[in-house]
Amino acid sequence: MWRYGPKGPALLECGKNQRDYLRRKRMLDVVLSLLALVALSPVLVAISLLIVIDDPRGGPIFCQKRVGERGRIFQMYKFRTMCVDAEARLKDLTLLNEMNGPVFKMRKDPRITRVGGFLRRTSLDELPQLINVLKGEMSLVGPRPPLPREVARYTRYERRLSVTPGLTCYWQVRPDRYELSMNEWVELDLMYIQNRCLRLDWQLILQTVGAMVQGSGQ
């Protein structure tokens, strides 16, 4: 198993330019996430009310343990898009998984609520992760944070954990993302890790906004 430590593989080669980039990236994360939380606060409240009205059995926010940079565990926030017993029902759907490898993805997942379907198509369900970004557990751009059970099955995907996970990434803005294999998904993440810079971050942020407006998510 890959070891995560203060001298892990992620930053061994980092020079001054890389340190400057990471500092500016963090500044961008704080400023944009804070502005977005303030500007979108009426939208966040409205979405919360719609979720509770649609399915009053649970609250609007879904918290889930995810794996961050160098294997650190944190609580990731999302708007709840599934029924309250979604995790218990997962074992009955494993044979219908549309993604190879350790990740479970299913486009017509029967656990998704009516409001949840809209939130997923527009990626509005990810907005609470702006809090994770503000806390420094996530970045605006980076590989999506995996579940601990997925990481436990990793055999060659560990390098995704060498950087801070992100709210959006190459995979997130692809309209055909559910048609990609796990290996193709990881290749996109590795391409980002290899080439990341502020220009690329801005590009992916703007593409994400466009994807949300178009409602091209699943």
Side-chain angles (χ1 to χ4, degrees):
M1 189 65 172
W2 195 37
R3 302 298 178 188
Y4 307 93
K7 295 183 180 180
L11 300 179
L12 281 178
E13 74 281 4
C14 284
K16 183 177 183 299
N17 290 340
Q18 184 72 356
R19 289 194 297 271
D20 286 345
Y21 160 70
L22 293 176
R23 185 166 55 250
R24 293 175 183 176
K25 181 181 177 71
R26 178 59 187 153
M27 187 181 302
L28 179 68
D29 286 342
V30 171
V31 172
L32 290 188
S33 61
L34 187 58
L35 288 175
L37 284 169
V38 172
L40 297 174
S41 56
V43 176
L44 300 178
V45 172
I47 291 174
S48 299
L49 291 174
L50 286 174
I51 292 172
V52 173
I53 292 171
D54 184 44
D55 184 8
R57 295 177 300 166
I61 301 296
F62 176 67
C63 299
Q64 191 176 51
K65 288 183 178 179
R66 294 291 179 121
V67 182
E69 184 178 4
R70 300 180 187 175
R72 298 188 185 97
I73 303 295
F74 68 97
Q75 290 282 351
M76 190 185 79
Y77 310 117
K78 295 184 70 171
F79 279 125
R80 183 170 62 88
T81 60
M82 292 187 174
C83 55
V84 292
D85 59 346
E87 288 295 308
R89 294 173 60 184
L90 177 60
K91 61 182 179 181
D92 298 325
L93 299 172
T94 52
L95 294 179
L96 301 176
N97 188 9
E98 298 175 9
M99 178 73 70
N100 65 336
V103 177
F104 181 86
K105 295 290 182 183
M106 184 178 176
R107 275 171 284 194
K108 296 183 179 180
D109 195 319
R111 300 172 299 166
I112 299 175
T113 63
R114 290 174 299 178
V115 171
F118 168 76
L119 295 178
R120 289 192 169 211
R121 285 193 302 274
T122 56
S123 295
L124 290 172
D125 60 317
E126 312 285 5
L127 287 180
Q129 287 160 47
L130 291 168
I131 298 174
N132 293 117
V133 174
L134 198 58
K135 293 169 64 177
E137 298 163 334
M138 293 177 61
S139 177
L140 289 174
V141 183
R144 292 293 295 159
L147 292 162
R149 66 169 178 262
E150 296 169 357
V151 175
R153 296 176 57 192
Y154 276 7
T155 56
R156 52 178 173 164
Y157 303 142
E158 292 88 350
R159 197 184 171 200
R160 301 175 76 209
L161 305 179
S162 66
V163 300
T164 305
L167 194 153
T168 191
C169 58
Y170 275 125
W171 180 84
Q172 194 81 8
V173 300
R174 288 280 295 261
D176 62 343
R177 61 189 183 187
Y178 280 91
E179 298 174 13
L180 301 179
S181 68
M182 184 65 188
N183 288 337
E184 290 172 322
W185 183 356
V186 173
E187 285 300 317
L188 290 174
D189 285 340
L190 296 183
M191 182 169 64
Y192 170 76
I193 293 172
Q194 181 70 28
N195 300 294
R196 59 186 183 150
C197 62
L198 286 180
R199 180 178 179 181
L200 178 57
D201 289 343
W202 272 112
Q203 177 183 333
L204 288 171
I205 289 170
L206 293 175
Q207 288 180 354
T208 301
V209 174
M212 292 175 69
V213 171
Q214 295 172 9
S216 59
Q218 296 286 347

